[in-house]
């Protein structure tokens, strides 16, 4: 199993009052974890002209890594960086970019960007031209939003009707995970397998090991055969011996065969946290238990068993969005 990882996320702003998510993070970070030791290897601050007036969040959401390129996304930008030095080769920022959550190159060489703030996915040329913007609920995003607004300057468009998170490809066809609908569906809306994950909101959608795997924010990893048929679910909370509180906000997944690195972000006392029924009612002492740190954890999904954890807070990573092999 890979023991050399890249983890994307953000460093939380020091504040004595609860911060909204769209202003919570002060630095976008990539952390490298080698043999259990985390190290900051790249940090980024979005320029003010690509953020709302008064500032916004600086955070890397879910990324894609290839042999020589890192595709990163902040709240309002896509960064294409050389590896291993993380030298930005190109930065793409478009007026429709609001609360980006994932970027991945497609089979035709274009970039697919999850524009969560507009409940949509953008297909963008490598040069940064918007080719199309597709709503994840079937209708055009421009039925709800105005094409004349620069959404990089809008702090938030919440509440989202769908909150898409990830794009992945099956046989060259784009699929999108939808947090509110608890599923993953073909982006074009046509015929094809639907992955009905259910439960709490889903985040990652990764093609791995001959199937498709998803994380649910309440600590489940669900795997399907590629056709959406046979499924298996691992409840990670059951593997946390001696812990009575929630493991954290489960987000970030890297699978190799039957082992998986999973990311957990510390649950904080926010209005959002108070509204999470799986936290309030799913654990006997959740309200009073000490909250676990932001970290990555390795699991054997076949046993199943928890194998090890790496605390990321000592290097300032307070939120995890994606995990990738660095080798």
């Amino acid at each position: 199993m890979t023991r050399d990882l890249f983890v994307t996320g953000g460093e939380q702003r020091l504040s004595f009052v609860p911060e909204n998510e769209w202003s919570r993070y002060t630095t976008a970070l990539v952390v490298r974890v080698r043999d259990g030791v985390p190290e900051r290897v790249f940090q980024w601050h979005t320029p003010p002209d690509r953020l709302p007036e008064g500032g916004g969040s600086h955070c890397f959401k879910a990324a894609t890594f290839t042999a020589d390129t890192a595709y990163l996304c902040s709240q309002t930008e896509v960064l294409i960086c050389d590896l291993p030095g993380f030298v930005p080769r190109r930065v793409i920022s478009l007026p429709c970019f609001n609360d980006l959550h994932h970027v991945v190159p497609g089979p035709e060489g274009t970039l697919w960007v999850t524009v969560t703030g507009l409940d949509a996915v953008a297909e963008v040329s490598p040069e940064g031209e918007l080719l199309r913007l597709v709503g994840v609920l079937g209708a055009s995003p421009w039925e709800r939003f105005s094409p004349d607004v620069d959404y990089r300057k809008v702090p938030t468009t919440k509440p989202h009707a769908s909150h898409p998170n990830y794009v992945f490809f099956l046989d060259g066809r784009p699929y999108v995970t939808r947090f509110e609908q608890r599923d993953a569906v073909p982006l074009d809306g046509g015929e094809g397998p639907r992955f009905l994950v259910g439960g709490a909101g889903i985040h990652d959608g990764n093609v791995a090991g001959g199937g498709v795997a998803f994380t649910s924010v309440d600590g489940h990893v669900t795997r399907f055969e590629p056709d959406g048929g046979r499924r298996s679910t691992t409840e990670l909370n059951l593997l946390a011996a001696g812990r009575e509180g929630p493991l954290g906000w489960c987000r970030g997944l890297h699978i190799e065969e039957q082992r998986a690195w999973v990311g957990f972000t510390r649950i904080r006392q926010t209005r959002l946290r108070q509204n999470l029924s799986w936290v309030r009612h799913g654990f006997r002492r959740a309200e009073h238990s000490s909250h676990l740190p932001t970290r990555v954890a390795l699991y054997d999904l076949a046993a199943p068993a928890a194998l090890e954890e790496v605390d990321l807070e000592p290097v300032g990573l307070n939120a995890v969005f994606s995990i990738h092999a660095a080798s």
Side-chain angles (χ1 to χ4, degrees), residues 30-271:
V30 179
V31 167
R32 191 167 190 170
V33 178
R34 282 186 272 202
D35 293 324
V37 179
E39 175 191 9
R40 292 165 73 128
V41 292
F42 183 53
Q43 60 185 38
W44 177 261
H45 295 95
T46 301
D49 62 335
R50 301 173 195 153
L51 288 172
E53 298 300 328
S57 245
H58 304 268
C59 183
F60 285 137
K61 301 297 180 69
T64 300
F65 283 75
T66 66
D68 62 356
T69 305
Y71 299 87
L72 306 171
C73 67
S74 68
Q75 293 283 94
T76 60
E77 308 156 299
V78 168
L79 284 72
I80 305 173
C81 300
D82 291 329
L83 289 177
F86 288 95
V87 177
R89 190 186 308 158
R90 175 172 288 120
V91 178
I92 299 169
S93 186
L94 301 172
C96 66
F97 281 4
N98 181 285
D99 198 12
L100 304 187
H101 268 59
H102 186 213
V103 56
V104 59
E108 302 300 324
T110 57
L111 300 177
W112 295 76
V113 184
T114 308
V115 186
T116 302
L118 271 60
D119 281 327
V121 173
E123 185 179 12
V124 180
S125 74
E127 294 73 33
E129 177 189 359
L130 179 63
L131 303 177
R132 56 175 169 155
L133 187 68
V134 183
V136 303
L137 293 171
S140 168
W142 304 129
E143 293 183 13
R144 292 173 51 204
F145 303 99
S146 169
D148 300 321
V149 172
D150 186 344
Y151 284 97
R152 296 171 298 184
K153 312 300 289 184
V154 176
T156 183
T157 59
K158 287 186 174 183
H160 300 151
S162 178
H163 197 90
N165 280 313
Y166 255 69
V167 170
F168 61 92
F169 293 87
L170 289 177
D171 297 324
R173 188 180 184 189
Y175 277 68
V176 61
T177 67
R178 303 188 300 181
F179 182 93
E180 296 295 345
Q181 286 71 38
R182 277 62 167 164
D183 64 10
V185 296
L187 187 59
D188 60 16
E191 295 296 322
R194 262 67 172 170
F195 298 93
L196 305 177
V197 181
I202 69 170
H203 195 268
D204 305 73
N206 291 353
V207 178
V212 186
F214 304 92
T215 54
S216 299
V217 295
D218 62 347
H220 292 74
V221 174
T222 302
R223 293 179 290 170
F224 289 82
E225 292 182 344
D227 61 1
R230 188 170 61 88
R231 62 179 281 170
S232 63
T233 298
T234 303
E235 185 175 350
L236 304 180
N237 294 289
L238 298 180
L239 308 181
R243 292 174 172 173
E244 295 190 24
L247 293 177
W249 188 272
C250 179
R251 180 178 56 203
L253 178 66
H254 174 66
I255 290 183
E256 292 180 15
E257 298 179 353
Q258 292 298 317
R259 290 191 173 187
W261 284 100
V262 182
F264 294 97
T265 296
R266 179 193 290 267
I267 294 176
R268 302 180 187 274
Q269 298 287 352
T270 65
R271 184 176 305 170

Side-chain angles (χ1 to χ4, degrees), residues 280-296:
R280 289 188 291 114
H281 303 302
F283 298 92
R284 184 162 48 86
R285 292 175 53 204
E287 293 297 327
H288 306 290
S289 59
S290 58
H291 298 154
L292 299 171
T294 298
R295 66 205 185 281
V296 291

